[in-house]
Structures are given as C-alpha cells and as structure tokens.
Amino acid sequence: MGQIHVLPAHIQNKIAAGEVVERPSSIVKEIVENSLDAHSTVIEVFITNSGMESIKVVDNGHGIDYEDRTLLFERHATSKIDTAYELFEIRSLGFRGEALASIGAVSKVTLESMRNNSTPFKIVYSGGKYDEDTVWHERRGTIIEIEDLFFNTPARLKYIKNLRTEAGKIIDIMQRMALNYPEVSFRLAFDGKDRFKTTGNGNLKEVINILYGIQVSANTLPVSAESPDYKISGYIVRPEVTRSNRNYINLSINNRHVRHFKLSQSIINAYHTLQPRDKYPLAFLNITMDPKLIDVNVHPSKVEVKLSKETELLKLAEAAVKEALMETELIPEVEHKKPKAEKVEQPAMDFSERHEQIREHINTYEPPVRQQRTPFKETLQQEAERPFQPQKQQYTNPFKQDAPVQQQAKPKDIPAFVEHEPLPEKEKLPYLEIIGQLHGTYIIMQNETGMYLMDQHAAQERIKYEYIYRNIIKEDDGIPLLIPYTFEFSFDDVITIDEKLTELQEIGFDIEKSGIKQYTVARYPSWIKANNPEEDINDLIEFISQTDHFDVNKYREEMSIMMSCKQSIKANHYLDKNQMDALLTELGKCHSPYTCPHGRPVIIHMTTYEIERLFNRIMK
C-alpha cells in the first residue's frame, strides 16, 4: 500500500499559517492591507494584550459581497487577480488568497461586512471551522476581530517574544502604513488607549510630525526625481537628526513598504561624510513605477521584492537625495533648552514650510563698534594719555542685493592649504565675520543672525578631503621606475590578482604578469608618497586581492579620509587673523562645507534670539 497521501485542508492551513502568521503584527499587516485594497478612507485598529488576546480592525471600505462569504476562509481564494499573467503586474497589496485561511486556522475570527446593494452578514470561524453564519446589521465596510491567537498551536506560543516587543512590531507596521497612505485616516489603540491617529488629509509632513515629532518634521527636506521608468517623491531629514540603525529609512514602492538593502544603502551613501559612520539618516520615500518592473511574489510577507533595472533606480535615488541635501544650508543651530513644564496642548501648525525661529528683533541688528587696536610698542602711560576716540566701521548688510563680496586676505604661514577650483555660482556658506579664536581650536564668527563656531581641524579636514579625493586618481603621468619592481604572490592570490589587473590599472598602476606567480610594476600613481613605495605597492596589491568586491571609489575615499585627517591642523593650534580668513575662504569653496569626512559638524550656529534668551533679554 502506498505511503504518499494528500494532507487534509486544516493541516495545510496550519502549515501555511507558519509562513503568513508569524506573530500578531503579521495579522495586523494582512488585515489592514485588505482594508486598503477595499479603498477604505478610515481604518481603526484596536489591540488587546499586544494582539495575543484580540486584534480588531474596523474600516469603511467597499465591504464583502454576501455571496462570497463562504469562500473567505478557503485557501487561494481572492478577488485581486484572475489570471497567471496578472502575477507579473501586481497592483494590489494582497493577491495570494492565503491570509484569512491561515489566520482562521490558528485563531477565532469574527467577521462582519456589507457591500453596497448586498446583504450584511456575520461569520464566526474558529480553528478552521465555521461556528456561525448569520445576517447582521447594515453597515458599509468590514469589521474583523481575531481572538485567542495560536490557541490550537501551543508550540507557536513558545516563539512569541515578550508583549512589549510584539506591541512594538505592531506600531512599526501601522506607522509605515500611515506614511504610505497619508490620504487615509489611521487610528491605533492599545488596551483602550489611543497610540496615534492621523487625519487622512494627504499631508505626508503632518503624518511625519504625528509619528516622529516636531524635531523630525521641522527638519525634513523634500525629495523629487523622475526618470523614464521611476518617479521618487517624499522627504528626507537633515543630517544633524540621526538614528542608531537603518530602520528609520522608510521605503515604499507603489505605496507598498519594502525592505531592499541596496536601495537603503544608496540613501545612506547620499549622506556620506554628512553623518558619523555609526549613525543613520531618516527618510520617507515612495517610488512609483510600472508594476511589471517589480516582483513582489518572492516571500509570503510580500516585503522582499526583486527589481528590474535596479542599477538605474539606485543611481536615481542616490542622486535625488544628494541634490536635496546640497541645495540646503546644513549648519546646525544650537537651540535653547526649555525647562520641563506642564504638558500643554500642541497648537495647530503649518507644515508647508520648515518651522523657523522668531527673529523679529534681528531687523535692527548692527554689529558692535570695535576700537582700533593700539600698537603694542606704545607704553601703558602713552595709551592712558591718548584721548579715547573709537572709530566706528561702516557696516553694509551682506544680504542686500548691492552688498560687496567679502574680501579675505591670503595667509602667509598657514600650514599646507591647497588651491581649489573657482567658487561655485551658489555660495554654500553665509557671510561670516571672524571675531577670534577659542582655546586654539574653535574660530568664533558672527553675522546679523547670530554667532557661529567653526572647528578648525574639521574645516581643514573637509578642505583637504575634497582636494585629495579629486586628485588621488587624477590622470597623470605617475612615477616611472627605472628598474621595475617585481612582486611574487601565492597561487591563491594569483587567481584574484589576475581578475583585478584592470582595477589596478584604473588606479594608476602599470602592472603586468611576468611569470606564473610574478608581477612587474613599471609605474605607480603619484599619490603614493611613502618613503618606501615598494612596500606600499605590495600592501595595496595584497589588499585588493583579498577583497571580494573591491571598489576603486571606496578605496579612493578611504585613502582621502586618512590622508586629510593626518595632514590637517590639530586642536590647540593658534592661528592669526589672515590664517583664519584663509581657512574660511577655502571652506566656502568646498562642495559640502558643513561636515568633516567623518560626519562631524564643521560649523554650528547660535541665533541672536537664543543668545538673548539665555541672558533673559527676551522673556519668551
């Protein structure tokens, strides 16, 4: 007698539930996606005991036809697709027809629904069986409640983490839904208390404020880019606002939240040198594309996707974020910290523009009148006898149309400053007047908006980084060798070096294979300045051979950061006025003068308003 047989339907559903229903948040995701596919404009989610006791979703969508009620909990029963061809252009969030069958197999489900011009009904389905099927009250839309999750699969309960973790997963799912659909009003409540509620007015920035707070929403920058195949829209957050992991990079394709490592990495790459390496940006981006270019039928969770023309999309995303960052002045402001007070209701805010500090008093600002310095050779008695005649310097507002360009002297002895390309058309830095130096480390500056502090080491590090990065693989004649160097490597290394000879030539080496294990270098790039270039060349070739995915640009970047840090002026190094002027001038020529290559700020700003608040000159 044969031993192969088909498993009963209820066992099949329990097996499928292991993939679809991993935890309470999986159920929330599947049910809310069904509500969105039903074109709901209001979706309310009520959670009890982190979803282990009850999950209730109420929507005002199209509802379910009375005739379809008996197919709701059948496997692969769906209204989303009809033909196999439609799998290659999925236009809905759900399409597998597995969710309700899997959920009903491991919990008790109560479902009430009504479609226009149809009979309202109520179904109770528990552990894979119908318990009740009756006509119900008229209410357009659907109410579904899932109770006693995993009551008949106790082994699954052992893998459920603590309730706080499960609640966090649900919140994460609902936040991403709200970000992807700002035109839908979402409400999430835990144990009778609202966690958040969105208005559904279509304003994404308002949703960001509700979910992440005013610090994030006030620092958002709009992103917009388009190519023949892709359209990117949404917001990124200024680099001074960071997080410790990449989970705050919210990406969606056709309003579907997706996890895509390469796409997230392209966003991170756009912030390169603008944030510390152990910090990550916040982003809220949606990519619109032809459904034929994306495959969502990869995993039951429908979060992992495969993309056609992936390289094109990665380049477009990185370029769009870079453009948004480069068009903005990224000098962080030092804000006055208010003492904790009683909680008050948040007033309504206009999210169409970035929230700005009140600066009404700035309009009458004039820089302080400074006395002309007395020559050091004069005695104290001569200085005391001379009449006090302060000389007021004429001040021109540099922000007016006819204001002259600031002229700054070239230094005489400033250490190793480099020449740059001509200034770009758009000034990156505002007009700044140097006042002095603090502890031989920070340069104090001012303009009509307040006080600025510049880290001299970080400033020169940025200057040198950009110069070295531009020139480290710049085409030149290199350094020829009268007697070429010959290197010998192991057989293991030979295989990879043979594959990467082209990459070595790209970074300036004239290298050829001269034997079974030997390579001859007749020329090496001029940016190798070590006392013993032979040793450096050998180390570099070994490094490339041991790197699986050697990237010329990444190596170029790492070398630039290391060289710029070593060559820049350090703290406690006192500069004269000409040297400080020259440093500021060179910094203004940089492509991104706001951070050093390690992501630390170069300049910070404290507004006059904040300074006067600290001295209680403004009681607000």
Side-chain angles (χ1 to χ4, degrees):
M1 182 177 178
Q3 297 180 347
I4 299 176
H5 60 281
V6 178
L7 291 174
H10 69 279
I11 298 180
Q12 294 180 28
N13 288 339
K14 286 185 179 180
I15 294 173
E19 296 180 341
V20 179
V21 186
E22 298 176 325
R23 58 194 337 139
S25 60
S26 303
I27 294 179
V28 173
K29 175 180 178 295
E30 295 291 343
I31 300 301
V32 173
E33 283 184 349
N34 283 342
S35 296
L36 290 169
D37 284 338
H39 302 286
S40 303
T41 58
V42 178
I43 300 175
E44 298 177 308
V45 180
F46 304 92
I47 306 296
T48 303
N49 199 22
S50 296
M52 297 306 300
E53 184 176 331
S54 171
I55 298 171
K56 185 177 182 180
V57 180
V58 181
D59 70 47
N60 65 344
H62 292 164
I64 303 170
D65 194 279
Y66 180 78
E67 301 298 328
D68 292 333
R69 72 192 190 285
T70 56
L71 296 174
L72 285 174
F73 296 94
E74 295 294 326
R75 288 194 68 195
H76 306 302
T78 180
S79 61
K80 312 295 175 63
I81 60 174
D82 295 315
T83 64
Y85 178 79
E86 292 178 276
L87 286 173
F88 299 100
E89 51 175 355
I90 299 296
R91 299 180 183 274
S92 57
L93 295 175
F95 59 89
R96 290 173 175 270
E98 291 182 322
L100 283 179
S102 300
I103 294 169
V106 294
S107 64
K108 177 182 178 181
V109 181
T110 303
L111 189 150
E112 308 164 23
S113 186
M114 187 191 81
R115 193 177 181 89
N116 285 344
N117 302 319
S118 181
T119 304
F121 65 90
K122 174 184 177 181
I123 284 180
V124 178
Y125 190 84
S126 179
K129 298 179 181 179
Y130 286 97
D131 286 348
E132 183 180 354
D133 182 358
T134 61
V135 176
W136 200 241
H137 305 295
E138 291 190 5
R139 179 196 173 279
R140 183 179 180 273
T142 301
I143 302 174
I144 183 170
E145 184 171 7
I146 294 94
E147 300 174 290
D148 298 333
L149 182 61
F150 301 134
F151 77 95
N152 57 350
T153 53
R156 295 297 305 276
L157 291 174
K158 295 189 298 183
Y159 297 98
I160 296 297
K161 297 183 179 180
N162 62 68
L163 296 181
R164 181 174 296 180
T165 300
E166 300 306 322
K169 296 286 185 181
I170 294 173
I171 293 170
D172 181 64
I173 290 289
M174 289 299 298
Q175 285 183 337
R176 296 184 192 278
M177 295 285 188
L179 291 168
N180 293 340
Y181 291 87
E183 69 279 6
V184 176
S185 174
F186 288 90
R187 178 187 175 192
L188 175 62
F190 279 87
D191 300 319
K193 296 181 180 180
D194 283 355
R195 180 70 185 194
F196 71 80
K197 184 177 182 180
T198 63
T199 60
N201 62 5
N203 191 328
L204 175 58
K205 198 166 183 179
E206 181 177 334
V207 176
I208 294 172
N209 177 70
I210 292 171
L211 300 181
Y212 293 92
I214 188 65
Q215 183 195 22
V216 173
S217 63
N219 284 284
T220 53
L221 303 173
V223 175
S224 180
E226 192 168 354
S227 73
D229 295 305
Y230 303 106
K231 181 179 180 181
I232 299 176
S233 62
Y235 293 93
I236 59 172
V237 179
R238 292 165 63 91
E240 58 262 34
V241 182
T242 63
R243 293 295 184 268
S244 58
N245 59 66
R246 64 174 70 216
N247 293 338
Y248 293 86
I249 301 175
N250 296 272
L251 300 175
S252 60
I253 297 179
N254 296 340
N255 299 107
R256 177 196 300 277
H257 167 63
V258 298
R259 283 197 302 260
H260 196 281
F261 178 82
K262 290 183 178 180
L263 194 53
S264 296
Q265 192 60 44
S266 68
I267 307 301
I268 296 171
N269 292 342
Y271 279 81
H272 177 59
T273 76
L274 296 178
Q275 290 180 327
R277 292 193 176 186
D278 58 342
K279 297 296 181 182
Y280 295 88
L282 291 88
F284 311 92
L285 300 177
N286 181 59
I287 301 161
T288 304
M289 57 190 292
D290 189 327
K292 294 178 182 178
L293 298 178
I294 179 174
D295 182 8
V296 300
N297 192 23
V298 177
H299 188 273
S301 67
K302 302 185 290 291
V303 175
E304 299 175 10
V305 297
K306 292 183 178 180
L307 300 172
S308 299
K309 300 185 179 180
E310 182 180 275
T311 303
E312 177 189 335
L313 176 58
L314 299 181
K315 290 180 179 178
L316 180 66
E318 184 172 345
V321 175
K322 279 185 178 178
E323 183 179 358
L325 290 169
M326 290 301 104
E327 289 182 351
T328 306
E329 183 183 293
L330 300 176
I331 299 176
E333 291 187 0
V334 179
E335 297 183 358
H336 175 68
K337 299 293 184 181
K338 294 181 180 180
K340 290 186 178 180
E342 294 183 3
K343 185 176 180 181
V344 296
E345 185 177 354
Q346 172 69 41
M349 301 186 67
D350 180 11
F351 292 92
S352 60
E353 297 181 0
R354 185 179 176 222
H355 179 63
E356 298 289 343
Q357 297 281 355
I358 301 173
R359 297 192 177 100
E360 297 176 356
H361 62 289
I362 296 177
N363 297 331
T364 58
Y365 172 84
E366 290 185 5
V369 177
R370 295 180 293 172
Q371 299 179 17
Q372 186 176 4
R373 290 184 179 178
T374 304
F376 186 75
K377 63 182 180 179
E378 292 185 1
T379 63
L380 293 175
Q381 183 177 0
Q382 289 173 324
E383 185 176 357
E385 292 175 355
R386 189 167 53 168
F388 178 74
Q389 294 179 347
Q391 296 182 6
K392 184 175 181 180
Q393 298 178 353
Q394 184 178 359
Y395 178 76
T396 305
N397 187 342
F399 297 96
K400 292 183 179 179
Q401 186 173 1
D402 301 327
V405 179
Q406 182 185 18
Q407 299 293 328
Q408 295 178 330
K410 292 288 184 181
K412 294 180 181 179
D413 301 319
I414 189 163
F417 278 112
V418 293
E419 294 185 2
H420 279 262
E421 299 172 356
L423 276 170
E425 292 183 4
K426 183 177 179 180
E427 292 288 346
K428 297 286 186 177
L429 296 176
Y431 169 87
L432 296 171
E433 177 189 2
I434 293 176
I435 301 173
Q437 193 179 24
L438 177 65
H439 298 318
T441 302
Y442 304 102
I443 297 173
I444 307 171
M445 304 169 292
Q446 69 173 5
N447 65 13
E448 65 176 11
T449 67
M451 180 181 70
Y452 293 76
L453 283 177
M454 179 170 70
D455 184 331
Q456 65 190 31
H457 173 76
Q460 196 180 40
E461 201 173 8
R462 166 55 68 174
I463 294 167
K464 287 185 172 293
Y465 166 76
E466 293 197 5
Y467 173 79
I468 295 170
Y469 187 82
R470 285 197 304 268
N471 290 276
I472 196 169
I473 310 183
K474 195 172 183 179
E475 291 185 5
D476 57 21
D477 295 333
I479 300 177
L481 293 167
L482 184 62
I483 302 177
Y485 294 141
T486 299
F487 302 96
E488 184 173 349
F489 298 94
S490 67
F491 282 112
D492 292 340
D493 291 338
V494 164
I495 296 174
T496 54
I497 293 174
D498 286 345
E499 295 175 350
K500 297 178 180 179
L501 282 178
T502 302
E503 295 173 348
L504 285 165
Q505 292 163 0
E506 285 180 4
I507 61 175
F509 285 96
D510 182 356
I511 181 172
E512 294 181 353
K513 192 169 185 178
S514 55
I516 298 178
K517 298 190 297 179
Q518 289 81 31
Y519 297 85
T520 299
V521 175
R523 187 184 303 271
Y524 63 91
S526 57
W527 45 266
I528 294 181
K529 300 292 187 182
N531 295 330
N532 186 359
E534 184 175 3
E535 182 179 346
D536 276 9
I537 294 170
N538 184 77
D539 291 343
L540 176 59
I541 295 174
E542 284 189 349
F543 169 77
I544 293 175
S545 68
Q546 294 170 9
T547 305
D548 292 334
H549 303 286
F550 176 73
D551 187 336
V552 173
N553 287 327
K554 187 172 183 180
Y555 176 80
R556 173 185 179 190
E557 168 202 322
E558 296 292 338
M559 183 67 68
S560 301
I561 292 175
M562 180 188 69
M563 293 172 67
S564 64
C565 185
K566 288 183 177 180
Q567 296 177 14
S568 297
I569 51 178
K570 301 299 187 288
N572 300 315
H573 185 103
Y574 287 86
L575 306 177
D576 61 31
K577 182 64 163 58
N578 286 342
Q579 291 175 327
M580 289 187 282
D581 283 340
L583 184 62
L584 180 58
T585 300
E586 294 295 322
L587 181 66
K589 298 176 184 179
C590 290
H591 179 66
S592 178
Y594 309 111
T595 59
C596 76
H598 302 95
R600 296 189 299 270
V602 172
I603 300 177
I604 61 173
H605 179 210
M606 178 175 282
T607 65
T608 305
Y609 176 80
E610 292 296 338
I611 294 172
E612 293 188 349
R613 285 188 60 158
L614 290 173
F615 286 98
N616 290 335
R617 295 176 67 89
I618 297 178
M619 304 300 293
K620 291 184 180 179

